[in-house]
Amino acid sequence: MTGHILNGVGVSPGVAFAPALGLRWSLPDVPDRTVDDDEIDGEILRLYAAAADVSAQLATLRERTRERAGPEEAGIFDAQIMMTNDATFLGSVEALIREVSLSAETAYGFKALDLREAWETGKNAMLRERVADLTAIQLRMLRRLMHLPDDEAWMVNLDEQVVIIARELSPGLTVQFDRDHVVGFVCEEGTRTSHAAILAHSLGIPAVMGVRGARDAVTDGTMVLLDGTTGIVILDPTSDELELARIQASRRHKLEMQLEAIADQPAVTPDGHAVGLLGNIDLPEEIEPALHYGAEGVGLLRTEFLVTGRTSMPSENEQTEYFRRVGAAFAGKPVVIRTYDLGGDKFPSAFDAPHEANPFLGWRSIRVCLDQPDLFRPQLRALLRAAYDRDLQLMLPMIVSMDELARAKEMLAEESEALQRDGVRAALTLPVGVMIETPAAVILAPELVQASAFVSIGSNDLTQYTLAVDRGNARLADRFSSLHPAVVRQLAQVQRAAAAGGIPSSVCGEMASNPLAAVLLVGLGYDRLSIAPPSIPLVKYVVRHVPVAAARQAAADCLGATTTSAVEAILRDTLGRVVDMRLVDPVGALPRPTVGASFRT
Ligand code: PEP
Ligand code: MG
């Protein structure tokens, strides 16, 4: 008999096998309990004692996160600790205990429900994003007050490895998991380019998204075998299925050994064409893996994940310190730091985002920065200060007009002047490049390159905006392809514009991690790819096997193709002539080392 099979989209390759742990936000049923007058003071003491306990538990978690991941991520728990100790909220619970003689848990339960409803239905996107935090705290508080065991083990210390089953993961939630024990994710929502998926990929945690009905189909403790390459999730797999997974894992292992062998070799095609392979870094803890996988610099340092879940934006000094840290780790190599790309599906709690019907078409990214100088200017100053003795470059996301670029550069110049005036040690300026993420930027590329030091294609957004397909919508996942001819032709257009303008061009969206797409990009003339660090070895393997002449021919053929499948067929054919396609996954999800994948029967 075969195990029950669920299908989704493989968003982060690798195999994981562990018991399921569902992420359900069900709060315990709180009984309506009143107390005698002489018990009221005791209930109030219990309330504050529970808040102190929960804060201590969160502080422990914060310290563990600080040790394992760094101070930026640990900051996430500061927000939860603050919420736990919120004096206004606790005061309102205390008042209710006094006024209606309720038990601590009953009063807390009532007030918590009110607050959650207000946040969930309110207009403030920041508060809606924080509901998960709020619920997590309320869960802890109610469990303390009701003397219930902490079975929401994912929030505290997990003793065993688990596969998380969730409806949807936000980037903020994803970074909070105990990553020593969470070996895989299965989500009902999400696609390859949703930010939680990008994070899972960068962290090397196998994940399958877009699995409809996963939460109902999988009960806690069910053994789950997931393949983040094929998108297949098997519940209670048979021994044959496990055996097959083991064989596949061992094939991947063989490939990994081959990849290890070329770790110190350059990314040069057999006919001598060099391709720079840089790393995308989302979180500080990815610096080490990026170095380990041989990143020749950082082609995209995302800065928004640093602030996800924090109650305040990082100070200028804190940012300066972080940028210097990354610069030092990659000394002598380029480090491209992207200014805040907030909005869309990235809402840090410190960011007061309005409710919008279409956030990806809304107040996002450079628009936010230009409208909120208090947010943008400290980041520009930090960049200038960190660039004093480091090879740092600044990259602006989501540019759609020349005005935006001009205004951002103006603000940079103003901050530079101010720093010089104040005698602060800082670079006079630094190279400013733009991300090409919209058809508008593609059309304006000839002009943009005149005013930029470099361009980098954000293919996730370029695909989303070209095809009008929401990058995070699981229902549309098979309609989202960066190998669509309309995207391919724009890639060519931008590369030609950059070459004509004499500036470097690169690609830093997820497509650059895909072996088929890598052939196309090299063939189109992109000499620099920035990718999730765990994918660097496989892309290097591809570069080292495909002559640039063959890649150029394939790219020329792709430009004549009129369908996505025709583009894929051309690339598969080109790659298949020089490498074993059983090793290089034909759909582009890459075999590579996984974190914590385990095989237990
Ligand atoms: C992109 O859009 O391709 C990109 C690299 O930026 P992000 O994924 O952070 O939006
Ligand atoms: Mg983008």
Side-chain angles (χ1 to χ4, degrees), residues 8 11 36 71 86 128 365 392 401 434 508 513 527 553:
V11 301
D36 294 335
D86 186 279
R128 283 199 310 280
S365 197
L392 303 182
S401 74
V434 297
C508 62
S513 308
D527 295 337
Q553 183 57 53

Side-chain angles (χ1 to χ4, degrees), residues 193 195 198 300 302 304 338 341 346 364 435 437 457-462 471 508-510:
T193 54
H195 282 106
I198 290 174
L300 167 62
R302 288 186 171 96
E304 49 283 358
R338 178 175 75 180
D341 186 32
K346 288 174 285 194
R364 203 198 144 186
M435 286 189 80
E437 307 200 86
I457 303 265
S459 54
N460 306 331
D461 278 316
L462 182 58
R471 60 194 273 184
C508 62
E510 284 291 292

Side-chain angles (χ1 to χ4, degrees), residues 218-262:
V218 191
T219 46
D220 283 359
T222 304
M223 293 309 290
V224 175
L225 174 66
L226 76 85
D227 186 332
T229 304
T230 57
I232 291 174
V233 179
I234 306 180
L235 309 183
D236 285 327
T238 62
S239 50
D240 284 353
E241 285 162 338
L242 277 177
E243 189 52 33
L244 190 63
R246 275 203 196 90
I247 292 169
Q248 285 170 349
S250 118
R251 278 206 199 115
R252 288 187 182 121
H253 185 66
K254 267 191 208 137
L255 174 66
E256 279 157 20
M257 304 297 275
Q258 291 187 39
L259 299 182
E260 278 283 310
I262 58 165

